[in-house]
Amino acid sequence: MDGRVSEPVVRALIVGAPGSQEGTLGGAIKSLFGRNRRAAGLKSRNVLVLTPTSIRVFTATGRGWPPEADEEVGAWPVNAVKVAAEAAEKWSAFSATESGSQTNRFYNITLTVPDADDPVVVQCPRTDSARTTLQALEDATGSKPSRITARRRKKQQRERAAAESSEPAD
């Protein structure tokens, strides 16, 4: 994100256009020609960025790490965006990385943004980093917590309660 974002980056997550995480040949072709992807300006690899004041999406180029941001797809004030996320999975009979079939598990993230006819929808693999980023997005935007982050939030509440109860009384 060097030179692309002038304020601190709170969280960043590599995401794909819908269908790009499914791992199927049909999913890849569908995402390549999908209307929502073209309309949103997404590529198969993008970066979702949360800053203290905005949520931004950039297309990413190359396969290197970290990915280089290419074009900004959109930037919206944090308080104007609503975030929704759901866990999804898709069975594939074809996999580019493994022989045979497999079940691909991913998160669908929907950003309802101002002045847009359709929400921006992206996908990412189910990882701890993705769950942490989703929770940060929900907290920053005041969006309703998803089922994805509910367990993590309960665990954090239990840990805080345990830490408070173990503190010496004054």
Side-chain angles (χ1 to χ4, degrees):
M1 302 310 337
D2 292 337
R4 295 282 185 173
V5 180
S6 60
E7 58 185 327
V9 173
V10 176
R11 295 288 307 171
L13 182 65
I14 297 173
V15 296
S20 62
Q21 299 297 327
E22 294 174 3
T24 64
L25 180 59
I29 291 171
K30 185 178 176 183
S31 72
L32 189 61
F33 296 104
R35 188 179 78 75
N36 286 343
R37 177 180 165 185
R38 283 195 318 262
L42 297 171
K43 292 186 178 179
S44 60
R45 194 173 192 202
N46 308 280
V47 181
L48 176 63
V49 178
L50 171 64
T51 71
T53 63
S54 65
I55 295 176
R56 304 170 80 152
V57 177
F58 294 89
T59 59
T61 56
R63 291 282 178 205
W65 186 259
E68 290 189 32
D70 188 19
E71 297 177 31
E72 186 170 60
V73 175
W76 308 276
V78 162
N79 59 359
V81 177
K82 288 298 173 201
V83 177
E86 64 181 7
E89 60 184 45
K90 181 156 181 125
W91 177 82
S92 72
F94 169 82
S95 171
T97 58
E98 297 179 23
S99 61
S101 64
Q102 69 180 41
T103 301
N104 296 290
R105 291 173 173 83
F106 50 92
Y107 296 130
N108 287 320
I109 305 169
T110 303
L111 305 174
T112 304
V113 299
D115 301 326
D117 293 334
D118 295 316
V120 175
V121 180
V122 293
Q123 292 178 337
C124 67
R126 293 186 193 180
T127 63
D128 285 337
S129 178
R131 284 185 289 278
T132 301
T133 301
L134 285 171
Q135 184 172 348
L137 286 165
E138 291 168 354
D139 292 346
T141 60
S143 298
K144 179 181 175 186
S146 64
R147 294 179 75 191
I148 297 165
T149 61
R151 185 180 304 158
R152 170 181 243 114
R153 290 175 192 280
K154 286 180 183 175
K155 180 181 176 186
Q156 289 169 340
Q157 288 173 346
R158 285 192 305 271
E159 289 171 352
R160 278 194 297 270
E164 290 172 1
S165 66
S166 66
E167 291 178 0
D170 289 333

